[in-house]
Amino acid sequence: MALDGIRGLAILMVIGSHAFESNYEAHGRLTDFIGHLLFYGYFGVDLFFVLSGFLITGILFDSLQDEGYFQKFYARRALRILPLYYGVLVVCLLLTHPLHLHWGDMGWLLMFYLQNLHPMKIMNFSPGAGIGLYHFWSLAVEEQFYLVWPAAVFLIRDKRKLMVTMLVGSGAALLLRLGLLECGASPFAMHVTTVCRADSLLLGGVLAMLYRSKQWAQVQRVAPWGFACAAATILASIFMLKPLMARWSIYPTLWGNGVEYTVLALGFGCLIAWSLRPGSICQWIFQMGWMRFLGKYSYGLYVLHVLVLSTMNLPLRAAILGATHNKLVAVVGAGMTSLAVSIGAAYASYHLYEKPFLNLKHRFDYSRRALNHGSPEDAYTK
């Protein structure tokens, strides 16, 4: 239950960073502070990565003895993820001629979940006005990771060896980023490249193994403190260290595109552990109905919200600004309206289009043991 709420938080963070993007400095310190927090809502993608690693690694480990290990995993993922993803792409491709869309080589890359191989282009990719697909980079990261991860878990099998492998892999991803930065690599390229972002997914997997260990109670006890330390570090970096580091051009390299990803992953791992602690305030928050509602439709919200925003957010903001002559009201009003429309679109998509595919998943059910610990799908959805 609480994990649905975690999904809800993640998607709210992501949509907030896109829907309310603006310059808030002229509206006072409090508004500027809130604006900064909304801007860094893109950290919600990191939360999705950690939660995906936690859920997928857990279900893969629990289903090692399940007949049809690979078949069930990939069939269930395909039924949940592919219909909406390819549905959106097909509709956009059909609109190519009437809307004069321009795909270049990105069309083929999107069809095979390879869009992050063109990092500078995917980060701002829009084939035409009102059609934004730049957020699809994170879906490519997850699908590429899970193309190989089931085989890795199947071959390693042992819990201790699997945990060591994930810890070593996490450290390797961090060192790779730092090494690439020293060689002058693009921060954008590292941001969207699977091997550079693997520590978030792998540390989520480490949490899944701890969840299945005798140390879980101890992990839950220290989780609130771990999350608090990570949150304090991130906030200090944003509001104190970032301006200072920027003077020496350190922030975009050593911290912002190097260590920060790992700190976020550790902090979000602690948040997940805290949310699973019975009776905790964190669990109570994430079990709220509206948080779980958003979590249930988080995949559709993630896929569709940028399309909604790129179609209506700026025109609506301009219209509200013309009527009220208040920039803050225009930004908030357009953002909230776009959020509401995105929720409606995700809800309609789920019940009118995706559900027939979801109803086929029962043909690939896991055994009861495999279902004891979590969901077989990724973090965007159950």
Side-chain angles (χ1 to χ4, degrees):
M1 287 288 191
L3 296 184
D4 283 334
I6 291 284
R7 293 184 184 95
L9 171 63
I11 195 60
L12 275 180
M13 291 172 66
V14 172
I15 295 179
S17 70
H18 293 151
F20 302 98
E21 186 176 0
S22 183
N23 181 359
Y24 294 92
E25 292 181 2
H27 296 279
R29 290 186 178 181
L30 178 60
T31 304
D32 186 39
F33 176 79
I34 295 173
H36 269 84
L37 292 182
L38 289 172
F39 172 78
Y40 286 98
Y42 67 81
F43 290 160
V45 173
D46 295 82
L47 179 52
F48 275 130
F49 285 165
V50 177
L51 187 55
S52 285
F54 174 72
L55 294 172
I56 294 294
T57 304
I59 198 64
L60 287 172
F61 183 79
D62 291 338
S63 62
L64 280 171
Q65 306 303 322
D66 222 46
E67 187 176 348
Y69 170 86
F70 291 102
Q71 178 188 13
K72 290 179 179 179
F73 175 79
Y74 286 115
R76 292 178 69 87
R77 281 196 60 76
L79 289 169
R80 184 62 190 101
I81 302 301
L82 301 188
L84 181 58
Y85 178 81
Y86 283 113
V88 168
L89 287 184
V90 168
V91 170
C92 290
L93 289 171
L94 291 175
L95 293 173
T96 296
H97 180 69
L99 296 183
H100 306 289
L101 305 182
H102 301 280
W103 295 91
D105 58 355
M106 189 57 71
W108 289 108
L109 294 176
L110 284 164
M111 292 300 293
F112 294 101
Y113 279 101
L114 296 174
Q115 54 266 32
N116 60 336
L117 297 184
H118 205 322
M120 298 305 295
K121 190 171 183 179
I122 190 58
M123 287 297 290
N124 298 287
F125 182 66
S126 174
I131 301 179
L133 299 176
Y134 51 84
H135 59 310
F136 277 12
W137 70 268
S138 66
L139 301 179
V141 169
E142 292 215 2
E143 296 311 307
Q144 290 165 17
F145 185 83
Y146 296 130
L147 185 64
V148 299
W149 191 235
V153 175
F154 185 81
L155 292 173
I156 298 172
R157 305 182 79 85
D158 180 76
K159 184 188 298 184
R160 184 180 296 274
K161 291 180 180 178
L162 188 59
M163 186 175 293
V164 170
T165 300
M166 290 186 290
L167 288 172
V168 171
S170 300
L174 172 58
L175 292 176
L176 176 62
R177 289 197 302 270
L178 296 176
L180 289 173
L181 287 168
E182 284 297 315
C183 295
S186 165
F188 286 111
M190 287 181 291
H191 183 70
V192 303
T193 302
T194 303
V195 292
C196 291
R197 302 304 306 275
D199 50 342
S200 298
L201 292 149
L202 291 172
L203 288 173
V206 171
L207 184 65
M209 294 299 97
L210 290 172
Y211 181 55
R212 290 156 177 81
S213 72
K214 296 179 181 179
Q215 288 76 39
W216 180 242
Q218 183 178 353
V219 170
Q220 287 187 306
R221 284 196 296 271
V222 301
W225 301 104
F227 174 73
C229 289
T233 301
I234 295 298
L235 288 173
S237 74
I238 293 172
F239 294 102
M240 297 173 61
L241 297 180
K242 181 181 177 181
L244 181 63
M245 289 179 170
R247 296 180 185 178
W248 300 309
S249 300
I250 296 175
Y251 185 85
T253 55
L254 179 62
W255 173 260
N257 293 97
V259 180
E260 186 176 53
Y261 292 133
T262 302
V263 174
L264 284 168
L266 292 170
F268 285 140
C270 290
L271 181 66
I272 293 169
W274 189 10
S275 74
L276 295 174
R277 183 176 176 179
S280 67
I281 182 67
C282 190
Q283 185 179 72
W284 176 77
I285 291 172
F286 290 120
Q287 284 183 338
M288 290 182 176
W290 66 275
M291 293 286 285
R292 288 165 37 219
F293 174 87
L294 291 174
K296 179 178 180 179
Y297 301 106
S298 58
Y299 177 56
L301 276 167
Y302 189 83
V303 171
L304 298 173
H305 83 278
V306 171
L307 293 168
V308 172
L309 290 172
S310 55
T311 301
M312 65 176 291
N313 196 48
L314 289 181
L316 183 58
R317 184 182 293 186
I320 296 175
L321 181 61
T324 65
H325 303 289
N326 188 309
K327 180 183 175 182
L328 185 60
V329 172
V331 170
V332 174
M336 294 300 294
T337 303
S338 299
L339 173 59
V341 173
S342 298
I343 292 173
Y347 182 89
S349 170
Y350 182 90
H351 290 282
L352 300 179
Y353 171 61
E354 300 167 62
K355 213 165 186 178
F357 296 99
L358 298 177
N359 290 337
L360 298 175
K361 292 202 313 185
H362 74 275
R363 299 183 181 182
F364 306 97
D365 281 342
Y366 287 95
S367 67
R368 181 170 297 181
R369 178 179 181 274
L371 291 175
N372 280 340
H373 292 295
S375 164
E377 261 57 68
D378 69 8
Y380 293 100
T381 176
K382 285 173 51 177

